Structures are given as structure tokens and as C-alpha cells.
Amino acid sequence: MFNGLADWWDGVELWLAQAPFPVQFVLVMVVVVPLCLVAAWLLDTLFGKVARLFGAARDANDADRSS
């Protein structure tokens, strides 16, 4: 099974490497850019929630010290 997948991927990679530049550019714009945008949005959401969690704990500690 993995040999078949590896052979398929090698074929795709070879096709992409031999494709003309405009085809490569279009594929990057259509496939890679949206994947990067989704990954950036997911990471931003995740780290925003973690930062809010630690920010609330820090605000609580600051309120205790000022009392």
C-alpha cells in the first residue's frame, strides 16, 4: 500500500517539477495559499485562546496584589 502511495506521489512530484512555470504558479495560488491561510487562522485561534486563558490568570493575580 505504501509503495503504491509513494509511486503515485513520485509521479505527481515529477509532473509538477516538469510543468511550465505558469502552471506551477497557478497551482501554488489555488492550493498552497488557501492551505496556508487556513493554517494561519487555526494557529491564531488556538494561540488566542491560550493567551486569553493566561491573560485572565495574570489579571486575577494583579487584582490580588493591588488589594
Side-chain angles (χ1 to χ4, degrees):
M1 177 180 150
F2 290 113
N3 285 337
L5 181 64
D7 289 341
W8 173 81
W9 182 252
D10 285 343
V12 170
E13 185 179 24
L14 182 62
W15 173 80
L16 184 59
Q18 293 177 346
F21 178 74
V23 173
Q24 292 177 357
F25 179 79
V26 168
L27 282 173
V28 166
M29 297 308 267
V30 170
V31 176
V32 176
V33 170
L35 285 175
C36 290
L37 288 172
V38 168
W41 177 78
L42 287 172
L43 287 171
D44 181 54
T45 302
L46 174 69
F47 289 124
K49 289 182 180 184
V50 170
R52 235 177 290 130
L53 178 69
F54 284 113
R58 186 184 64 217
D59 292 342
N61 287 340
D62 290 342
D64 291 340
R65 289 183 189 156
S66 64
S67 298

